[in-house]
Amino acid sequence: CFGLPGTSPTPRVLRAGLDWDDWGQRSASVAADEPKPRCSAGRFKNSVGRKLTRTAMPTQRRSNVKFVDSNGIEKKIKRGTAQRQAVWWWRPQAGLLLLSLLSCVGGLAWLYLTPDDGITETLVRQGETVPEQRVYQVSCSEDYDNYKRYPGCTPQKCGRAVTDSVVSREEAAILRRLAERGLSLGGSDGGASILDLHSGALSMGKQFVNIYRYFGEQIKDVFSKEDFELYRSVRQRIQETIAQTFGLDSSRLYLTNPTFFSRINSTLAKTTHDEYWHPHIDKVTYGSFDYTSLLYLSDYGVDFGGGRFIFMDTSANRTVEPRAGRVSFFTSGTENLHRVEKVSWGTRFAITVSFTCDPAHSISDPALP
């Protein structure tokens, strides 16, 4: 479903680092100048047999004698030892601190970046095919008591269902190409764009335009009668499937506004209309909604990442993974509070087809001008 304005969650980013100081040490040493004997073995051998004379050598005196400060050396040694001990004591402590900080940062990054945040159960996966309806019953909320009840239509039993047998993947591909052609005429500056063939509304920049008035007769070069015939056929099949599942009289179920194509990518939101991800209740948001359906035109994990539909139940969050041709439908009250996961990459295409029990809020199928 397509969300409306709300409060946008504030992303949180945490970084941590640890600086290390290098410790240095200098050692002092004192060397004494020792006199070395000056004796030549060669000269001694050559003097054998000669009269040896002994000459008295003058006494040598040492100048600039440096006395060793033993107390200063001892202090330096002790200081160096203390520094080494400090390094070895802090090194394992700092290592543990660094490891703890990195673990915290990694954990927060995982929570922030993981697309299935809060998902505890997947009702239907993209890779599986659901040839028969898969129905999940839930208790009806009191939302419907605030509106006029219509016998044979207002929900008496509530729930949600998924099927892959109403629309073929080939038909979904045709509808996707229809959406691509229409949305190529405009498109939002943010990550979410809509095309409503009923009212003619098309996202363009930060506003909406009416494609039928804006483009006039040129719109016939974009859409064909065959496109609109397939659209009507798919709408009718979805309507009959909802009526059969919830035990309704199909003739008392009416198409209502808004019913539209959506294209969502990872571009940052520019206006509140781009913030599709907020939790909401269709009956509360739109009023006229009694039953909501979505037809997916692209595949989760293949054409895009994120973008899963999430039912936010009291006990758990349950998701449906989009698959081209898959129809997901549900009663529109508080019993089916939901949101759409943010698209992280690629492009997600879908059609929201909405139904009401109030004939005053009914709309007709679209037609070329």
Side-chain angles (χ1 to χ4, degrees), residues 132-145:
E132 301 295 333
Q133 292 182 24
R134 194 174 294 181
V135 181
Y136 306 88
Q137 292 187 353
V138 295
S139 299
C140 291
S141 65
E142 299 178 355
D143 295 338
Y144 308 100
D145 296 335

Side-chain angles (χ1 to χ4, degrees), residues 23-311:
W23 295 82
Q25 177 185 359
R26 294 182 179 180
S27 61
S29 62
V30 177
D33 296 330
E34 296 292 342
K36 298 181 181 179
R38 303 180 66 183
C39 177
S40 175
R43 289 183 59 191
F44 180 78
K45 290 180 181 179
N46 292 335
S47 63
V48 175
R50 295 181 182 180
K51 183 178 179 179
L52 300 177
T53 59
R54 186 174 182 180
T55 303
M57 298 181 65
T59 304
Q60 296 181 354
R61 294 183 179 181
R62 299 176 183 175
S63 60
N64 299 328
V65 177
K66 296 181 181 179
F67 295 96
V68 177
D69 184 0
S70 59
N71 291 332
I73 294 174
E74 185 177 355
K75 289 180 180 179
K76 291 181 179 180
I77 292 174
K78 288 182 178 179
R79 184 166 62 250
T81 302
Q83 290 174 350
R84 285 194 301 272
Q85 291 176 348
V87 171
W88 285 107
W89 187 87
W90 277 105
R91 192 166 294 169
Q93 305 296 328
L96 291 174
L97 178 60
L98 177 61
L99 182 60
S100 300
L101 288 173
L102 290 176
S103 299
C104 291
V105 173
L108 289 173
W110 183 86
L111 288 174
Y112 181 75
L113 296 175
T114 302
D116 60 345
D117 181 21
I119 302 301
T120 56
E121 182 181 352
T122 300
L123 299 179
V124 184
R125 299 189 180 278
Q126 184 275 333
E128 62 179 311
T129 303
V130 185
E132 301 295 333
Q133 292 182 24
R134 194 174 294 181
V135 181
Y136 306 88
Q137 292 187 353
V138 295
S139 299
C140 291
S141 65
E142 299 178 355
D143 295 338
Y144 308 100
D145 296 335
N146 300 322
Y147 298 87
K148 181 180 179 180
R149 287 186 170 272
Y150 294 88
C153 184
T154 299
Q156 298 296 317
K157 62 177 183 178
C158 297
R160 59 198 64 151
V162 181
T163 179
D164 293 334
S165 61
V166 175
V167 180
S168 69
R169 290 178 66 85
E170 291 74 20
E171 290 174 324
I174 295 173
L175 291 172
R176 173 173 171 169
R177 289 194 292 271
L178 184 158
E180 290 173 337
R181 292 197 304 273
L183 288 164
S184 68
L185 300 174
S188 169
D189 289 341
S193 301
I194 70 164
L195 169 64
D196 185 340
L197 294 179
H198 302 268
S199 67
L202 170 68
S203 299
M204 184 172 288
K206 293 183 174 63
Q207 57 187 0
F208 298 91
V209 299
N210 187 307
I211 57 173
Y212 301 124
R213 291 200 298 265
Y214 194 87
F215 296 99
E217 291 295 320
Q218 296 178 4
I219 203 67
K220 294 181 180 180
D221 297 329
V222 180
F223 305 124
S224 66
K225 290 184 179 180
E226 290 74 18
D227 292 333
F228 281 69
E229 288 174 0
L230 175 60
Y231 183 90
R232 287 193 295 270
S233 173
V234 167
R235 187 273 307 163
Q236 185 175 5
R237 278 178 268 163
I238 293 174
Q239 181 174 339
E240 292 173 352
T241 301
I242 292 174
Q244 181 182 5
T245 302
F246 291 103
L248 312 175
D249 182 349
S250 178
S251 63
R252 298 190 178 188
L253 194 61
Y254 304 95
L255 187 67
T256 192
N257 192 44
T259 289
F260 54 89
F261 289 90
S262 62
R263 181 187 69 190
I264 306 176
N265 57 37
S266 59
T267 304
L268 294 178
K270 298 298 188 299
T271 70
T272 54
H273 297 293
D274 300 320
E275 298 178 7
Y276 57 86
W277 56 81
H278 298 298
H280 62 281
I281 302 161
D282 289 346
K283 188 66 177 175
V284 175
T285 303
Y286 301 107
S288 62
F289 279 34
D290 288 300
Y291 301 90
T292 307
S293 68
L294 294 107
L295 168 59
Y296 297 107
L297 306 179
S298 51
D299 291 314
Y300 167 77
V302 178
D303 300 312
F304 62 93
R308 292 175 296 179
F309 189 94
I310 301 171
F311 291 105

